mmCIF file of all heavy atoms in Angstrom:
data_model
loop_
_atom_site.group_PDB
_atom_site.id
_atom_site.type_symbol
_atom_site.label_atom_id
_atom_site.label_comp_id
_atom_site.label_asym_id
_atom_site.label_seq_id
_atom_site.Cartn_x
_atom_site.Cartn_y
_atom_site.Cartn_z
ATOM 1 N N ILE A 738 7.035 -65.754 56.636
ATOM 2 C CA ILE A 738 8.492 -65.710 56.499
ATOM 3 C C ILE A 738 9.105 -64.916 57.641
ATOM 4 O O ILE A 738 10.106 -65.321 58.230
ATOM 5 C CB ILE A 738 8.887 -65.127 55.127
ATOM 6 C CG1 ILE A 738 8.541 -66.125 54.022
ATOM 7 C CG2 ILE A 738 10.355 -64.747 55.082
ATOM 8 C CD1 ILE A 738 8.646 -65.553 52.614
ATOM 9 N N GLU A 739 8.486 -63.788 57.965
ATOM 10 C CA GLU A 739 8.991 -62.960 59.066
ATOM 11 C C GLU A 739 8.911 -63.701 60.392
ATOM 12 O O GLU A 739 9.859 -63.691 61.177
ATOM 13 C CB GLU A 739 8.192 -61.662 59.156
ATOM 14 C CG GLU A 739 8.672 -60.737 60.254
ATOM 15 C CD GLU A 739 7.862 -59.465 60.338
ATOM 16 O OE1 GLU A 739 7.184 -59.112 59.360
ATOM 17 O OE2 GLU A 739 7.913 -58.824 61.403
ATOM 18 N N TRP A 740 7.794 -64.393 60.645
ATOM 19 C CA TRP A 740 7.653 -65.156 61.881
ATOM 20 C C TRP A 740 8.688 -66.264 61.980
ATOM 21 O O TRP A 740 9.263 -66.500 63.037
ATOM 22 C CB TRP A 740 6.261 -65.757 61.969
ATOM 23 C CG TRP A 740 5.183 -64.786 62.345
ATOM 24 C CD1 TRP A 740 5.325 -63.489 62.759
ATOM 25 C CD2 TRP A 740 3.781 -65.044 62.338
ATOM 26 N NE1 TRP A 740 4.100 -62.942 62.999
ATOM 27 C CE2 TRP A 740 3.124 -63.866 62.757
ATOM 28 C CE3 TRP A 740 3.014 -66.153 62.008
ATOM 29 C CZ2 TRP A 740 1.743 -63.783 62.868
ATOM 30 C CZ3 TRP A 740 1.632 -66.063 62.116
ATOM 31 C CH2 TRP A 740 1.016 -64.888 62.549
ATOM 32 N N ARG A 741 8.912 -66.952 60.876
ATOM 33 C CA ARG A 741 9.882 -68.048 60.872
ATOM 34 C C ARG A 741 11.293 -67.541 61.137
ATOM 35 O O ARG A 741 12.043 -68.133 61.918
ATOM 36 C CB ARG A 741 9.822 -68.766 59.521
ATOM 37 C CG ARG A 741 10.416 -70.131 59.550
ATOM 38 C CD ARG A 741 10.021 -70.879 58.318
ATOM 39 N NE ARG A 741 11.239 -71.349 57.697
ATOM 40 C CZ ARG A 741 11.360 -71.695 56.443
ATOM 41 N NH1 ARG A 741 10.343 -71.622 55.650
ATOM 42 N NH2 ARG A 741 12.492 -72.120 55.977
ATOM 43 N N GLN A 742 11.623 -66.412 60.514
ATOM 44 C CA GLN A 742 12.947 -65.829 60.730
ATOM 45 C C GLN A 742 13.101 -65.362 62.180
ATOM 46 O O GLN A 742 14.143 -65.575 62.799
ATOM 47 C CB GLN A 742 13.166 -64.663 59.779
ATOM 48 C CG GLN A 742 14.531 -64.024 59.928
ATOM 49 C CD GLN A 742 14.718 -62.844 58.987
ATOM 50 O OE1 GLN A 742 13.755 -62.260 58.517
ATOM 51 N NE2 GLN A 742 15.957 -62.496 58.738
ATOM 52 N N ARG A 743 12.057 -64.755 62.723
ATOM 53 C CA ARG A 743 12.104 -64.279 64.100
ATOM 54 C C ARG A 743 12.312 -65.439 65.069
ATOM 55 O O ARG A 743 13.117 -65.353 66.000
ATOM 56 C CB ARG A 743 10.806 -63.544 64.405
ATOM 57 C CG ARG A 743 10.865 -62.677 65.623
ATOM 58 C CD ARG A 743 9.561 -61.959 65.842
ATOM 59 N NE ARG A 743 9.363 -60.928 64.829
ATOM 60 C CZ ARG A 743 8.187 -60.379 64.550
ATOM 61 N NH1 ARG A 743 7.096 -60.756 65.197
ATOM 62 N NH2 ARG A 743 8.075 -59.449 63.637
ATOM 63 N N ALA A 744 11.610 -66.547 64.853
ATOM 64 C CA ALA A 744 11.757 -67.725 65.712
ATOM 65 C C ALA A 744 13.167 -68.296 65.618
ATOM 66 O O ALA A 744 13.773 -68.659 66.630
ATOM 67 C CB ALA A 744 10.723 -68.780 65.337
ATOM 68 N N ARG A 745 13.692 -68.366 64.390
ATOM 69 C CA ARG A 745 15.046 -68.901 64.202
ATOM 70 C C ARG A 745 16.078 -68.025 64.888
ATOM 71 O O ARG A 745 16.977 -68.509 65.582
ATOM 72 C CB ARG A 745 15.360 -69.007 62.710
ATOM 73 C CG ARG A 745 16.736 -69.617 62.422
ATOM 74 C CD ARG A 745 17.018 -69.711 60.930
ATOM 75 N NE ARG A 745 16.794 -68.469 60.204
ATOM 76 C CZ ARG A 745 17.668 -67.450 60.152
ATOM 77 N NH1 ARG A 745 18.812 -67.532 60.788
ATOM 78 N NH2 ARG A 745 17.403 -66.364 59.450
ATOM 79 N N LEU A 746 15.965 -66.711 64.732
ATOM 80 C CA LEU A 746 16.923 -65.796 65.349
ATOM 81 C C LEU A 746 16.864 -65.861 66.868
ATOM 82 O O LEU A 746 17.896 -65.764 67.542
ATOM 83 C CB LEU A 746 16.674 -64.365 64.865
ATOM 84 C CG LEU A 746 17.016 -64.093 63.412
ATOM 85 C CD1 LEU A 746 16.577 -62.685 63.010
ATOM 86 C CD2 LEU A 746 18.503 -64.269 63.164
ATOM 87 N N ARG A 747 15.671 -66.053 67.403
ATOM 88 C CA ARG A 747 15.542 -66.150 68.863
ATOM 89 C C ARG A 747 16.166 -67.429 69.393
ATOM 90 O O ARG A 747 16.704 -67.445 70.495
ATOM 91 C CB ARG A 747 14.077 -66.026 69.265
ATOM 92 C CG ARG A 747 13.597 -64.601 69.094
ATOM 93 C CD ARG A 747 12.189 -64.381 69.531
ATOM 94 N NE ARG A 747 11.878 -62.968 69.371
ATOM 95 C CZ ARG A 747 10.665 -62.480 69.315
ATOM 96 N NH1 ARG A 747 9.630 -63.275 69.426
ATOM 97 N NH2 ARG A 747 10.472 -61.186 69.153
ATOM 98 N N ARG A 748 16.099 -68.504 68.621
ATOM 99 C CA ARG A 748 16.789 -69.735 69.041
ATOM 100 C C ARG A 748 18.301 -69.544 68.962
ATOM 101 O O ARG A 748 19.043 -69.989 69.831
ATOM 102 C CB ARG A 748 16.374 -70.903 68.151
ATOM 103 C CG ARG A 748 15.028 -71.481 68.476
ATOM 104 C CD ARG A 748 14.788 -72.795 67.753
ATOM 105 N NE ARG A 748 15.011 -72.728 66.318
ATOM 106 C CZ ARG A 748 14.096 -72.409 65.413
ATOM 107 N NH1 ARG A 748 12.866 -72.118 65.797
ATOM 108 N NH2 ARG A 748 14.381 -72.375 64.125
ATOM 109 N N GLU A 749 18.759 -68.872 67.913
ATOM 110 C CA GLU A 749 20.202 -68.686 67.721
ATOM 111 C C GLU A 749 20.820 -67.770 68.768
ATOM 112 O O GLU A 749 21.989 -67.923 69.112
ATOM 113 C CB GLU A 749 20.480 -68.134 66.331
ATOM 114 C CG GLU A 749 20.287 -69.139 65.227
ATOM 115 C CD GLU A 749 20.543 -68.559 63.841
ATOM 116 O OE1 GLU A 749 20.963 -67.393 63.740
ATOM 117 O OE2 GLU A 749 20.316 -69.294 62.868
ATOM 118 N N ILE A 750 20.059 -66.813 69.269
ATOM 119 C CA ILE A 750 20.632 -65.867 70.222
ATOM 120 C C ILE A 750 21.100 -66.564 71.502
ATOM 121 O O ILE A 750 22.052 -66.132 72.139
ATOM 122 C CB ILE A 750 19.644 -64.716 70.537
ATOM 123 C CG1 ILE A 750 20.384 -63.535 71.152
ATOM 124 C CG2 ILE A 750 18.524 -65.163 71.431
ATOM 125 C CD1 ILE A 750 19.556 -62.288 71.263
ATOM 126 N N MET A 751 20.437 -67.665 71.846
ATOM 127 C CA MET A 751 20.846 -68.387 73.053
ATOM 128 C C MET A 751 22.149 -69.155 72.866
ATOM 129 O O MET A 751 22.768 -69.558 73.837
ATOM 130 C CB MET A 751 19.736 -69.336 73.506
ATOM 131 C CG MET A 751 18.538 -68.621 74.092
ATOM 132 S SD MET A 751 18.922 -67.446 75.417
ATOM 133 C CE MET A 751 19.396 -68.549 76.733
ATOM 134 N N THR A 752 22.572 -69.329 71.635
ATOM 135 C CA THR A 752 23.827 -70.044 71.392
ATOM 136 C C THR A 752 25.032 -69.107 71.388
ATOM 137 O O THR A 752 26.162 -69.574 71.312
ATOM 138 C CB THR A 752 23.782 -70.801 70.043
ATOM 139 O OG1 THR A 752 23.684 -69.845 68.984
ATOM 140 C CG2 THR A 752 22.595 -71.754 69.991
ATOM 141 N N LEU A 753 24.784 -67.802 71.470
ATOM 142 C CA LEU A 753 25.891 -66.836 71.435
ATOM 143 C C LEU A 753 26.662 -66.848 72.751
ATOM 144 O O LEU A 753 26.099 -67.081 73.820
ATOM 145 C CB LEU A 753 25.355 -65.429 71.172
ATOM 146 C CG LEU A 753 24.679 -65.201 69.831
ATOM 147 C CD1 LEU A 753 24.090 -63.798 69.776
ATOM 148 C CD2 LEU A 753 25.650 -65.411 68.684
ATOM 149 N N SER A 754 27.938 -66.566 72.650
ATOM 150 C CA SER A 754 28.774 -66.497 73.847
ATOM 151 C C SER A 754 28.525 -65.178 74.582
ATOM 152 O O SER A 754 27.930 -64.244 74.041
ATOM 153 C CB SER A 754 30.252 -66.587 73.455
ATOM 154 O OG SER A 754 30.637 -65.404 72.762
ATOM 155 N N GLU A 755 29.007 -65.107 75.809
ATOM 156 C CA GLU A 755 28.874 -63.877 76.597
ATOM 157 C C GLU A 755 29.559 -62.709 75.878
ATOM 158 O O GLU A 755 29.067 -61.590 75.897
ATOM 159 C CB GLU A 755 29.493 -64.066 77.986
ATOM 160 C CG GLU A 755 28.792 -65.089 78.844
ATOM 161 C CD GLU A 755 27.372 -64.705 79.189
ATOM 162 O OE1 GLU A 755 27.074 -63.500 79.348
ATOM 163 O OE2 GLU A 755 26.530 -65.612 79.275
ATOM 164 N N ARG A 756 30.689 -62.997 75.247
ATOM 165 C CA ARG A 756 31.409 -61.940 74.531
ATOM 166 C C ARG A 756 30.606 -61.432 73.336
ATOM 167 O O ARG A 756 30.543 -60.230 73.092
ATOM 168 C CB ARG A 756 32.764 -62.468 74.066
ATOM 169 C CG ARG A 756 33.573 -61.408 73.378
ATOM 170 C CD ARG A 756 34.945 -61.892 73.025
ATOM 171 N NE ARG A 756 35.624 -60.838 72.296
ATOM 172 C CZ ARG A 756 36.918 -60.685 72.268
ATOM 173 N NH1 ARG A 756 37.692 -61.526 72.918
ATOM 174 N NH2 ARG A 756 37.459 -59.720 71.589
ATOM 175 N N ASP A 757 30.012 -62.356 72.585
ATOM 176 C CA ASP A 757 29.181 -61.950 71.448
ATOM 177 C C ASP A 757 28.000 -61.096 71.906
ATOM 178 O O ASP A 757 27.678 -60.083 71.291
ATOM 179 C CB ASP A 757 28.646 -63.170 70.692
ATOM 180 C CG ASP A 757 29.746 -63.930 69.976
ATOM 181 O OD1 ASP A 757 30.774 -63.312 69.629
ATOM 182 O OD2 ASP A 757 29.565 -65.145 69.756
ATOM 183 N N LEU A 758 27.363 -61.530 72.989
ATOM 184 C CA LEU A 758 26.247 -60.759 73.526
ATOM 185 C C LEU A 758 26.712 -59.378 73.979
ATOM 186 O O LEU A 758 26.053 -58.371 73.727
ATOM 187 C CB LEU A 758 25.583 -61.506 74.688
ATOM 188 C CG LEU A 758 24.809 -62.761 74.324
ATOM 189 C CD1 LEU A 758 24.398 -63.519 75.584
ATOM 190 C CD2 LEU A 758 23.592 -62.418 73.488
ATOM 191 N N SER A 759 27.847 -59.353 74.644
ATOM 192 C CA SER A 759 28.403 -58.084 75.115
ATOM 193 C C SER A 759 28.709 -57.152 73.953
ATOM 194 O O SER A 759 28.459 -55.943 74.037
ATOM 195 C CB SER A 759 29.666 -58.346 75.935
ATOM 196 O OG SER A 759 30.250 -57.135 76.331
ATOM 197 N N ASP A 760 29.234 -57.694 72.871
ATOM 198 C CA ASP A 760 29.522 -56.883 71.676
ATOM 199 C C ASP A 760 28.252 -56.267 71.105
ATOM 200 O O ASP A 760 28.298 -55.187 70.514
ATOM 201 C CB ASP A 760 30.202 -57.732 70.590
ATOM 202 C CG ASP A 760 31.642 -58.076 70.931
ATOM 203 O OD1 ASP A 760 32.201 -57.465 71.866
ATOM 204 O OD2 ASP A 760 32.198 -58.970 70.265
ATOM 205 N N MET A 761 27.138 -56.942 71.288
ATOM 206 C CA MET A 761 25.858 -56.434 70.793
ATOM 207 C C MET A 761 25.161 -55.561 71.831
ATOM 208 O O MET A 761 24.073 -55.050 71.590
ATOM 209 C CB MET A 761 24.940 -57.598 70.408
ATOM 210 C CG MET A 761 25.472 -58.391 69.250
ATOM 211 S SD MET A 761 24.438 -59.746 68.619
ATOM 212 C CE MET A 761 23.300 -60.122 69.869
ATOM 213 N N GLY A 762 25.764 -55.420 73.015
ATOM 214 C CA GLY A 762 25.164 -54.615 74.067
ATOM 215 C C GLY A 762 24.054 -55.328 74.816
ATOM 216 O O GLY A 762 23.154 -54.694 75.360
ATOM 217 N N LEU A 763 24.116 -56.666 74.839
ATOM 218 C CA LEU A 763 23.092 -57.467 75.506
ATOM 219 C C LEU A 763 23.687 -58.271 76.647
ATOM 220 O O LEU A 763 24.873 -58.586 76.643
ATOM 221 C CB LEU A 763 22.449 -58.442 74.515
ATOM 222 C CG LEU A 763 21.713 -57.846 73.325
ATOM 223 C CD1 LEU A 763 21.298 -58.939 72.357
ATOM 224 C CD2 LEU A 763 20.505 -57.054 73.779
ATOM 225 N N THR A 764 22.854 -58.603 77.608
ATOM 226 C CA THR A 764 23.254 -59.511 78.671
ATOM 227 C C THR A 764 22.590 -60.864 78.408
ATOM 228 O O THR A 764 21.716 -60.987 77.549
ATOM 229 C CB THR A 764 22.784 -58.990 80.044
ATOM 230 O OG1 THR A 764 21.358 -58.967 80.066
ATOM 231 C CG2 THR A 764 23.327 -57.591 80.321
ATOM 232 N N ARG A 765 22.974 -61.860 79.177
ATOM 233 C CA ARG A 765 22.353 -63.180 79.041
ATOM 234 C C ARG A 765 20.863 -63.083 79.393
ATOM 235 O O ARG A 765 20.027 -63.725 78.770
ATOM 236 C CB ARG A 765 23.071 -64.180 79.969
ATOM 237 C CG ARG A 765 22.570 -65.582 79.929
ATOM 238 C CD ARG A 765 22.626 -66.262 78.604
ATOM 239 N NE ARG A 765 23.967 -66.348 78.064
ATOM 240 C CZ ARG A 765 24.260 -66.706 76.820
ATOM 241 N NH1 ARG A 765 23.291 -67.041 75.992
ATOM 242 N NH2 ARG A 765 25.482 -66.729 76.387
ATOM 243 N N LEU A 766 20.530 -62.219 80.360
ATOM 244 C CA LEU A 766 19.125 -62.030 80.723
ATOM 245 C C LEU A 766 18.342 -61.403 79.572
ATOM 246 O O LEU A 766 17.209 -61.803 79.297
ATOM 247 C CB LEU A 766 19.010 -61.161 81.983
ATOM 248 C CG LEU A 766 17.600 -60.908 82.501
ATOM 249 C CD1 LEU A 766 16.898 -62.223 82.842
ATOM 250 C CD2 LEU A 766 17.630 -59.992 83.702
ATOM 251 N N ASP A 767 18.951 -60.428 78.879
ATOM 252 C CA ASP A 767 18.300 -59.845 77.701
ATOM 253 C C ASP A 767 18.029 -60.917 76.649
ATOM 254 O O ASP A 767 16.959 -60.954 76.045
ATOM 255 C CB ASP A 767 19.166 -58.746 77.074
ATOM 256 C CG ASP A 767 19.359 -57.540 77.971
ATOM 257 O OD1 ASP A 767 18.462 -57.254 78.789
ATOM 258 O OD2 ASP A 767 20.421 -56.888 77.834
ATOM 259 N N ALA A 768 19.008 -61.766 76.430
ATOM 260 C CA ALA A 768 18.863 -62.835 75.445
ATOM 261 C C ALA A 768 17.755 -63.798 75.862
ATOM 262 O O ALA A 768 16.927 -64.205 75.047
ATOM 263 C CB ALA A 768 20.179 -63.585 75.282
ATOM 264 N N PHE A 769 17.723 -64.139 77.138
ATOM 265 C CA PHE A 769 16.689 -65.041 77.636
ATOM 266 C C PHE A 769 15.303 -64.420 77.476
ATOM 267 O O PHE A 769 14.364 -65.082 77.033
ATOM 268 C CB PHE A 769 16.947 -65.389 79.103
ATOM 269 C CG PHE A 769 15.895 -66.269 79.697
ATOM 270 C CD1 PHE A 769 15.847 -67.619 79.390
ATOM 271 C CD2 PHE A 769 14.938 -65.738 80.548
ATOM 272 C CE1 PHE A 769 14.862 -68.432 79.924
ATOM 273 C CE2 PHE A 769 13.951 -66.542 81.084
ATOM 274 C CZ PHE A 769 13.907 -67.893 80.783
ATOM 275 N N ASN A 770 15.179 -63.150 77.846
ATOM 276 C CA ASN A 770 13.887 -62.465 77.711
ATOM 277 C C ASN A 770 13.432 -62.407 76.255
ATOM 278 O O ASN A 770 12.246 -62.535 75.961
ATOM 279 C CB ASN A 770 13.956 -61.061 78.301
ATOM 280 C CG ASN A 770 14.026 -61.073 79.812
ATOM 281 O OD1 ASN A 770 13.598 -62.015 80.458
ATOM 282 N ND2 ASN A 770 14.588 -60.023 80.378
ATOM 283 N N GLU A 771 14.367 -62.223 75.347
ATOM 284 C CA GLU A 771 14.024 -62.188 73.919
ATOM 285 C C GLU A 771 13.535 -63.548 73.449
ATOM 286 O O GLU A 771 12.583 -63.644 72.684
ATOM 287 C CB GLU A 771 15.237 -61.740 73.109
ATOM 288 C CG GLU A 771 14.966 -61.544 71.649
ATOM 289 C CD GLU A 771 13.996 -60.413 71.339
ATOM 290 O OE1 GLU A 771 13.882 -59.462 72.111
ATOM 291 O OE2 GLU A 771 13.327 -60.511 70.288
ATOM 292 N N THR A 772 14.158 -64.603 73.896
ATOM 293 C CA THR A 772 13.762 -65.941 73.449
ATOM 294 C C THR A 772 12.444 -66.388 74.069
ATOM 295 O O THR A 772 11.795 -67.289 73.534
ATOM 296 C CB THR A 772 14.854 -66.989 73.759
ATOM 297 O OG1 THR A 772 15.097 -67.007 75.167
ATOM 298 C CG2 THR A 772 16.122 -66.688 73.012
ATOM 299 N N CYS A 773 12.032 -65.768 75.153
ATOM 300 C CA CYS A 773 10.756 -66.118 75.780
ATOM 301 C C CYS A 773 9.565 -65.494 75.063
ATOM 302 O O CYS A 773 8.426 -65.914 75.286
ATOM 303 C CB CYS A 773 10.753 -65.688 77.243
ATOM 304 S SG CYS A 773 11.827 -66.694 78.272
ATOM 305 N N LYS A 774 9.821 -64.539 74.205
ATOM 306 C CA LYS A 774 8.723 -63.899 73.465
ATOM 307 C C LYS A 774 8.168 -64.868 72.423
ATOM 308 O O LYS A 774 8.913 -65.631 71.823
ATOM 309 C CB LYS A 774 9.221 -62.669 72.701
ATOM 310 C CG LYS A 774 9.576 -61.495 73.560
ATOM 311 C CD LYS A 774 9.996 -60.352 72.631
ATOM 312 C CE LYS A 774 10.518 -59.169 73.348
ATOM 313 N NZ LYS A 774 10.963 -58.127 72.393
ATOM 314 N N PRO A 775 6.865 -64.818 72.201
ATOM 315 C CA PRO A 775 6.303 -65.645 71.134
ATOM 316 C C PRO A 775 6.766 -65.119 69.750
ATOM 317 O O PRO A 775 7.078 -63.937 69.619
ATOM 318 C CB PRO A 775 4.785 -65.483 71.278
ATOM 319 C CG PRO A 775 4.571 -64.399 72.258
ATOM 320 C CD PRO A 775 5.851 -64.092 72.938
#
């Protein structure tokens, strides 16, 4: 369940806008690096 949720959240993070990422203190590169993790 944890793995499935982690995979889903990593896919969703790439759909966030720059403003949403900025509100979370992330850059697009941070989001990309997170989604590249297994």
